[in-house]
Amino acid sequence: MDNFIPESDAFRTVFLEYYPGVRRKLIAMVKDEATAEDLAQEVFLRLYRNPPDDPRVVGAWLHRVLTRIAYDHTDTLVRQRKLQEKQEQYFDREKTWESGEDALVRSEEREQIADLLEELPERDRQALMLRYSGYSYAEIAEEIRVSPPRVGSLLSRAADKLRRRAAGKPNGLEL
């Protein structure tokens, strides 16, 4: 991909082939079309700046980059929201503060859920995370390489496994 520059036929071909899918996945992840368009541009800018060594893996490379960009965008929004909430709490003296105990319990629950997800088989964990991220059944089927009719039952079984694991833990979570 030495000649992988925006004006090249190779770049144009990759862009035309992959842009619709990249855009669609980003819309599903960030839930905003305009933001997804901006992020898709960033994905292809990174492709231009630092293409994969092997052109045969460009699809997987783009998926990894778009996922990272979407997560980074979401993290930025979360940080901004937290900062705004902090400022509102500071200026709104009547707002009730969360007790340290409540914050600790919520943090422990998040950690327990992450641990429970890690115990699931890779395909189950990936399917649940994709669904939680807003992917459609068809997109999930494509990502985990199963037929679309199987996605619903796969998600149901994965959620049941997660619930059973949660119920079997001391101080079990209710999912």
Side-chain angles (χ1 to χ4, degrees), residues 112 115-116 119 162-173:
Q112 287 175 344
D115 291 344
L116 290 169
E119 293 174 12
L162 190 63
R163 277 190 215 84
R164 282 194 304 273
R165 290 183 192 282
K169 298 284 182 182
N171 300 325
L173 293 172

Side-chain angles (χ1 to χ4, degrees), residues 23-34:
R23 181 181 171 275
R24 184 180 67 251
K25 289 174 185 177
L26 285 166
I27 290 171
M29 292 178 82
V30 300
K31 308 285 190 252
D32 180 87
E33 194 168 340

Side-chain angles (χ1 to χ4, degrees), residues 7-8 14-15 22 35 57 75 77 116 150 159 175:
E7 296 81 23
S8 74
V14 168
F15 180 83
V22 168
T35 301
V57 300
D75 290 346
L77 291 179
L116 290 169
R150 292 189 55 208
L175 300 176

Side-chain angles (χ1 to χ4, degrees), residues 101-143:
E101 182 180 350
D102 290 341
L104 180 62
V105 167
R106 196 169 59 248
S107 173
E108 288 175 356
E109 286 175 351
R110 278 195 298 268
E111 288 177 23
Q112 287 175 344
I113 290 170
D115 291 344
L116 290 169
L117 281 169
E118 285 298 318
E119 293 174 12
L120 291 177
E122 175 64 26
R123 186 172 75 168
D124 291 349
R125 179 174 55 250
Q126 186 178 12
L128 287 172
M129 295 303 291
L130 289 169
R131 187 63 183 154
Y132 179 75
S133 297
Y135 279 58
S136 70
Y137 279 29
E139 291 169 324
I140 294 170
E142 181 182 324
E143 289 296 321

Side-chain angles (χ1 to χ4, degrees), residues 23-173:
R23 181 181 171 275
R24 184 180 67 251
K25 289 174 185 177
L26 285 166
I27 290 171
M29 292 178 82
V30 300
K31 308 285 190 252
D32 180 87
E33 194 168 340
T35 301
E37 296 267 346
D38 291 343
L39 296 177
Q41 288 179 15
E42 177 65 26
V43 168
F44 284 95
L45 182 60
R46 289 190 187 179
L47 177 63
Y48 165 68
R49 289 181 178 159
N50 189 20
D53 294 330
D54 184 354
R56 295 173 299 184
V57 300
V58 74
W61 186 94
L62 286 169
H63 178 73
R64 190 172 53 251
V65 171
L66 81 85
T67 302
R68 182 74 267 146
I69 286 174
Y71 286 156
D72 289 348
H73 172 75
T74 301
D75 290 346
T76 299
L77 291 179
V78 168
R79 280 193 306 277
Q80 289 172 347
R81 190 191 76 230
K82 285 181 180 180
L83 177 59
Q84 182 178 358
E85 287 173 0
K86 237 183 210 182
Q87 290 170 340
E88 288 172 359
Q89 286 176 348
Y90 180 78
F91 291 109
D92 184 7
R93 302 278 183 214
E94 294 179 359
K95 195 169 207 163
T96 60
W97 293 82
E98 176 181 49
S99 74
E101 182 180 350
D102 290 341
L104 180 62
V105 167
R106 196 169 59 248
S107 173
E108 288 175 356
E109 286 175 351
R110 278 195 298 268
E111 288 177 23
Q112 287 175 344
I113 290 170
D115 291 344
L116 290 169
L117 281 169
E118 285 298 318
E119 293 174 12
L120 291 177
E122 175 64 26
R123 186 172 75 168
D124 291 349
R125 179 174 55 250
Q126 186 178 12
L128 287 172
M129 295 303 291
L130 289 169
R131 187 63 183 154
Y132 179 75
S133 297
Y135 279 58
S136 70
Y137 279 29
E139 291 169 324
I140 294 170
E142 181 182 324
E143 289 296 321
I144 62 174
R145 295 189 173 97
V146 298
S147 64
R150 292 189 55 208
V151 172
S153 59
L154 188 138
L155 285 169
S156 178
R157 284 193 303 270
D160 287 344
K161 287 178 191 176
L162 190 63
R163 277 190 215 84
R164 282 194 304 273
R165 290 183 192 282
K169 298 284 182 182
N171 300 325
L173 293 172

